[in-house]
Amino acid sequence: MTAASSVSVEWIAADWGTSHLRVTAMAAAGPVATAASADGMGRLHPEEFEPALLRLIAPWLTAGVTPVIACGMVGARQGWVEASYRAVPCTPAAMDMLTRAPTQDKRITVHITPGLSQIRPADVMRGEETQVAGALVLNPDYDGVICLPGTHSKWVHVSAGEVVSFQTCMTGELFSLLSQQSVLRHGIAATGFAPEPFDAALSDALSRPEKLAAYLFSLRAEGLLADLPPIAARSRLSGLLIGIELAATKPYWLGQRVTLIGEAALCGFYARALASQGVSVDLLPAGDATLAGLSKLRGVL
Amino acid sequence: MTAASSVSVEWIAADWGTSHLRVTAMAAAGPVATAASADGMGRLHPEEFEPALLRLIAPWLTAGVTPVIACGMVGARQGWVEASYRAVPCTPAAMDMLTRAPTQDKRITVHITPGLSQIRPADVMRGEETQVAGALVLNPDYDGVICLPGTHSKWVHVSAGEVVSFQTCMTGELFSLLSQQSVLRHGIAATGFAPEPFDAALSDALSRPEKLAAYLFSLRAEGLLADLPPIAARSRLSGLLIGIELAATKPYWLGQRVTLIGEAALCGFYARALASQGVSVDLLPAGDATLAGLSKLRGVL
């Protein structure tokens, strides 16, 4: 991607989550530059958001006013400014409900997208709704399920341009806690993937989800007693946790069309798991979905 | 408990886990003094175990040699000295397999109990075998199941004086990670118990264990959307995790006689959960069980 200096930056797209900030300079023809930092919402006080943003986007600003449209945890209660939730069923993109964040620098205005909420079962999302909106921009007639694997995986039922219902699973966060902070960490590799242990653990968790509490400690015990290789242990933990996620979300994917939006390697694990259950998937890169969703919102400013 | 100075300390019992060290001075007639510190195995290098022990027991030592018998993670590979596992089925107390730890101070000898291992399903324990041995000293003809709730809860099938099989669940560790380090921490009280949310969550987890991944995030969402009280959230998390433990260990407790050994409040939650499934329990304080088990091993020195 080229630097932005040679073309006019009309607006800036910001994907601002708990642990990251990614910005894209947008010209009339599309993206012209990107930048990123680890200044996620989780480490910033409210007054620190504007400086964190300016550190990345200052080179793109002009004498005029450049609007910034941001999605994600930046709009949480602990974020820059709270952007309220919209209750499903509703369209994923909130054409009339962007929340203006307070700013000092006259060269920018900042607009934050609302999240989505569901009363029963209680659930919330922030950021993924913009990716779902982007998926519908790229594929307007989509009717089916969108799965967004991650720290808090989301399963979203989309029909007639609206989010009908959704379900969150804490799969990524459980994987991090168990692999890095629990007793299992002693026997789990930091990277690597072995397909056979993954498949076996996935099958175990899907067919006997009630055994999860027992399966988990077996990773530790087999490491001590049977020299379970650390990459096999990592793959089994991944298979177990994706397996109980699929067990919990069966009404979403069984017999459905599924699109995966997320990081490529992680989506690969979900695609493999779903294929084992006879479900084929389409893949959509997370960055493309986010940018398409924020671009749609840009249309209303 | 009185100080030990007025009577002769014949030996010292040590319960040495990952996060604690508890010692008891034993005279011929029984315990005469206790001491404890946070010098658990998890924070000590091998050369630091003897000084940590001496800091607590020095007032009890005489010119002669006082034996110390220790059980727990002190005998793990990362502990003072590795005490190998004995494979079940076997008696819980290893009358001939204490491992001598290397010591500098001539006034003590230190003997560590072996743990138990199970090949299929792979499982291990360290420390709980001594409590099971103690339970059999206090109730020699016991035939049934012993549950030891904790960081890594153990379910132990005991028959004819032997451990037949056992099963570990990481329930306590999962509760700590989720309530203190995950996104759920924002809405979970540090203490407190509400019976109704506990019972409802227990029932949910037992009847639909495959929904666990979905139930967990609902604690966060209901906190945001419905002001779920933090004590109710804590109780629901406890009910969910004990529920999936009971789902995984049903062959152990269904229609069985169950004895709980552990910390009183935690055993109370397990007793309540088991009662809801028609299982009544006997309670045995953990300290009593450990001391009875170590006393039995003292007999062979």
Side-chain angles (χ1 to χ4, degrees):
Chain A
M1 201 153 291
T2 59
S5 55
S6 55
V7 294
S8 169
V9 172
E10 300 204 343
W11 66 287
I12 292 166
D15 172 10
W16 207 330
T18 302
S19 56
H20 68 266
L21 166 59
R22 285 188 283 267
V23 290
T24 305
M26 302 293 291
V32 290
T34 62
S37 77
D39 280 329
M41 171 278 255
R43 61 198 278 178
L44 299 176
H45 291 282
E47 70 279 8
E48 298 171 323
F49 282 84
E50 186 174 2
L53 178 65
L54 288 168
R55 275 194 290 278
L56 292 185
I57 68 169
W60 305 335
L61 299 182
T62 60
V65 174
T66 303
V68 178
I69 306 182
C71 67
M73 292 301 285
V74 64
R77 202 170 297 174
Q78 300 87 357
W80 189 344
V81 63
E82 184 171 6
S84 57
Y85 295 109
R86 298 162 62 237
V88 298
C90 64
T91 57
M95 303 304 285
D96 55 354
M97 278 191 54
L98 295 175
T99 296
R100 183 84 178 264
T103 45
Q104 305 292 319
D105 194 305
K106 303 293 185 207
R107 296 171 298 168
I108 57 172
T109 59
V110 175
H111 312 265
I112 301 178
T113 63
L116 296 184
S117 65
Q118 177 176 275
I119 298 305
R120 239 184 131 72
D123 215 328
V124 291
M125 70 167 73
R126 278 199 189 281
E128 296 89 353
E129 76 293 328
T130 302
Q131 298 182 313
V132 171
L136 289 177
V137 167
L138 300 171
N139 192 350
D141 297 323
Y142 188 78
D143 200 301
V145 169
I146 297 177
C147 169
L148 306 104
T151 303
H152 297 158
S153 296
K154 307 286 178 183
W155 290 80
V156 184
H157 180 201
V158 172
S159 184
E162 291 200 331
V163 172
V164 178
S165 65
F166 64 99
Q167 173 68 63
T168 303
C169 296
M170 295 175 57
T171 307
E173 185 161 21
L174 275 171
F175 186 83
S176 294
L177 289 170
L178 287 168
S179 65
Q180 294 170 24
Q181 303 203 49
S182 84
V183 69
L184 303 184
R185 70 186 186 279
H186 299 297
I188 290 189
T191 58
F193 179 73
E196 284 181 23
F198 176 86
D199 291 347
L202 179 86
S203 172
D204 285 346
L206 264 166
S207 58
R208 306 286 305 275
E210 75 281 5
K211 287 283 178 193
L212 174 74
Y215 290 144
L216 286 175
F217 192 74
S218 75
L219 296 178
R220 174 63 175 155
E222 286 191 36
L224 289 166
L225 300 178
D227 290 324
L228 178 68
I231 288 177
R234 182 181 180 85
S235 304
R236 263 175 54 183
L237 180 61
S238 175
L240 286 177
L241 295 179
I242 293 177
I244 63 154
E245 177 176 339
L246 292 191
T249 56
K250 208 166 198 172
Y252 276 86
W253 53 261
L254 193 67
Q256 294 289 321
R257 180 180 179 187
V258 175
T259 297
L260 292 172
I261 301 179
E263 187 265 317
L266 185 61
C267 284
F269 300 151
Y270 277 72
R272 182 181 182 91
L274 285 163
S276 79
Q277 304 304 306
V279 177
S280 62
V281 301
D282 294 312
L283 296 170
L284 179 57
D288 294 358
T290 304
L291 216 52
L294 290 171
S295 297
K296 173 161 185 170
L297 289 165
R298 157 66 178 153
V300 302
L301 282 187
Chain B
M1 200 151 294
T2 59
S5 56
S6 55
V7 293
S8 169
V9 172
E10 299 204 343
W11 66 288
I12 292 166
D15 171 12
W16 208 329
T18 302
S19 57
H20 69 266
L21 166 59
R22 285 188 283 268
V23 289
T24 306
M26 302 293 290
V32 291
T34 62
S37 78
D39 280 329
M41 171 279 253
R43 62 199 277 178
L44 299 177
H45 292 283
E47 70 279 8
E48 297 170 322
F49 282 83
E50 187 175 1
L53 179 64
L54 288 169
R55 276 195 289 279
L56 291 185
I57 67 169
W60 304 337
L61 300 181
T62 60
V65 174
T66 303
V68 178
I69 306 183
C71 66
M73 292 300 284
V74 63
R77 202 171 296 174
Q78 300 87 358
W80 191 342
V81 64
E82 185 172 5
S84 57
Y85 294 109
R86 297 161 64 236
V88 297
C90 63
T91 58
M95 303 303 287
D96 56 352
M97 278 191 56
L98 295 174
T99 297
R100 183 84 178 263
T103 45
Q104 305 292 318
D105 194 305
K106 302 295 184 204
R107 297 172 297 169
I108 56 172
T109 59
V110 175
H111 311 264
I112 301 179
T113 63
L116 296 184
S117 65
Q118 177 176 276
I119 299 306
R120 238 185 130 74
D123 215 326
V124 291
M125 68 167 73
R126 279 198 190 280
E128 296 89 352
E129 76 294 329
T130 303
Q131 298 182 312
V132 171
L136 289 178
V137 167
L138 300 172
N139 193 350
D141 298 322
Y142 189 78
D143 200 301
V145 169
I146 297 176
C147 169
L148 305 104
T151 304
H152 298 157
S153 296
K154 307 286 178 183
W155 290 80
V156 185
H157 180 201
V158 172
S159 185
E162 291 199 331
V163 172
V164 178
S165 65
F166 64 98
Q167 174 68 62
T168 303
C169 296
M170 296 176 56
T171 308
E173 185 161 21
L174 276 171
F175 185 84
S176 294
L177 289 171
L178 287 168
S179 65
Q180 294 170 24
Q181 302 202 49
S182 84
V183 70
L184 303 184
R185 73 185 185 278
H186 299 298
I188 289 189
T191 58
F193 179 74
E196 284 180 22
F198 175 87
D199 293 345
L202 180 86
S203 172
D204 285 347
L206 264 166
S207 59
R208 306 285 304 276
E210 75 281 6
K211 286 283 179 192
L212 175 73
Y215 290 143
L216 286 176
F217 192 74
S218 76
L219 296 179
R220 173 65 175 154
E222 287 191 34
L224 288 166
L225 300 177
D227 290 323
L228 178 67
I231 288 178
R234 181 180 181 85
S235 304
R236 261 174 58 182
L237 180 61
S238 175
L240 286 177
L241 295 180
I242 293 177
I244 62 154
E245 176 175 339
L246 293 192
T249 56
K250 208 166 197 172
Y252 276 86
W253 53 261
L254 193 67
Q256 293 289 322
R257 182 181 176 188
V258 175
T259 297
L260 291 172
I261 301 178
E263 188 264 317
L266 184 60
C267 284
F269 300 151
Y270 277 72
R272 183 181 182 92
L274 285 163
S276 80
Q277 304 303 306
V279 177
S280 62
V281 301
D282 294 311
L283 296 170
L284 179 58
D288 295 356
T290 305
L291 216 50
L294 290 172
S295 297
K296 174 163 184 167
L297 289 164
R298 158 65 179 154
V300 303
L301 282 187

